[in-house]
Amino acid sequence: MIWRLCLLYLAGGLGAVRAGPVKWSGKTADRVARREDVNVLMYGVIQLGESINNVYKSTEGKVANILLTLNEHERALEQLREQTAQAGEVEIQIKRVIELLQDQTFKQESQTKMTEGQLADIEREEAVLWTKVKSLEAHLNSTTPTIIKELLERATFNASILKGLQHLTHFQKQLIDNHAEQLWKLQRMSEAL
């Protein structure tokens, strides 16, 4: 293709030389001068062809590099799209887990409040019972020791139930604290996304 351009340029150059008025004197010096002009033109055409060829090759290399770079950028962009989609899915899952933990925490707090209320009622009953036991103990000290034993056993039994409820309340409070800590960590993770 470059050689065609060179020949076309050469033909145009030769045509320009012929197109002008030429005076033949028949002398050899005129013909030599014309050949020198043609040689200069040919040399120029060859240099132009080589320059065009070099430009073509370098342009072709640059275009190939640009295409490679574009392909790399497209791959990187596709990977970013996939990572963004995955991050969106993870964020949705984290939000669902947070909602579940919040629901569980709310239920456990409600249960703990209810248990604390029951515990307070039992403590009041125990206090009333101990008051009755002490007053009856003083009254029945002389009459029937078996009744006092039964009342003491009953008070001991109620005390053990009270301790069990206290342990249960403490355990539920620990569960609530653990859930609150997990919820806090998940919220921090979702904020980091």
Side-chain angles (χ1 to χ4, degrees):
M1 178 172 163
I2 294 186
W3 290 109
R4 288 182 189 166
L5 287 173
C6 291
L7 290 176
L8 182 63
Y9 185 77
L10 179 64
L14 290 176
V17 171
R18 287 188 187 160
V22 178
K23 293 182 182 179
W24 276 104
S25 64
K27 294 181 182 177
T28 310
D30 287 341
R31 284 191 297 184
V32 172
R34 286 189 189 147
R35 283 189 183 172
E36 288 176 5
D37 289 343
V38 169
N39 286 340
V40 169
L41 284 175
M42 284 297 285
Y43 180 73
V45 167
I46 290 171
Q47 282 186 337
L48 178 65
E50 288 176 358
S51 296
I52 291 173
N53 189 25
N54 289 336
V55 168
Y56 174 75
K57 286 181 181 177
S58 67
T59 304
E60 185 178 37
K62 289 177 183 176
V63 168
N65 286 338
I66 289 170
L67 288 176
L68 285 174
T69 305
L70 281 175
N71 286 338
E72 290 174 3
H73 287 302
E74 285 177 5
R75 277 188 240 119
L77 185 61
E78 187 60 34
Q79 287 176 349
L80 283 174
R81 283 185 190 136
E82 290 174 6
Q83 290 174 355
T84 303
Q86 290 173 355
E89 291 174 11
V90 168
E91 184 179 359
I92 289 170
Q93 291 174 356
I94 288 174
K95 285 181 180 178
R96 287 180 186 161
V97 169
I98 288 171
E99 289 173 1
L100 286 174
L101 285 174
Q102 285 175 338
D103 288 344
Q104 288 178 353
T105 303
F106 177 75
K107 287 177 183 177
Q108 286 181 348
E109 285 176 354
S110 300
Q111 188 176 7
T112 301
K113 286 179 183 177
M114 187 174 74
T115 306
E116 286 175 350
Q118 290 174 346
L119 183 62
D121 290 343
I122 290 174
E123 286 175 348
R124 281 192 294 274
E125 287 178 16
E126 183 184 21
V128 170
L129 184 62
W130 278 110
T131 305
K132 286 181 181 179
V133 165
K134 290 197 182 204
S135 65
L136 283 175
E137 188 179 39
H139 178 40
L140 296 175
N141 227 353
S142 58
T143 55
T144 33
T146 56
I147 294 175
I148 294 174
K149 277 187 178 180
E150 288 176 11
L151 288 174
L152 285 173
E153 287 174 2
R154 195 170 185 189
T156 305
F157 177 75
N158 284 341
S160 66
I161 289 176
L162 182 63
K163 284 182 182 178
L165 285 173
Q166 286 175 334
H167 287 297
L168 178 65
T169 302
H170 180 69
F171 176 72
Q172 286 180 344
K173 194 168 190 177
Q174 286 179 340
L175 282 177
I176 288 173
D177 291 342
N178 288 341
H179 283 299
E181 185 177 339
Q182 289 175 354
L183 180 62
W184 181 79
K185 287 178 181 177
L186 285 173
Q187 286 175 338
R188 293 289 178 225
M189 285 174 52
S190 68
E191 290 173 2
L193 290 176

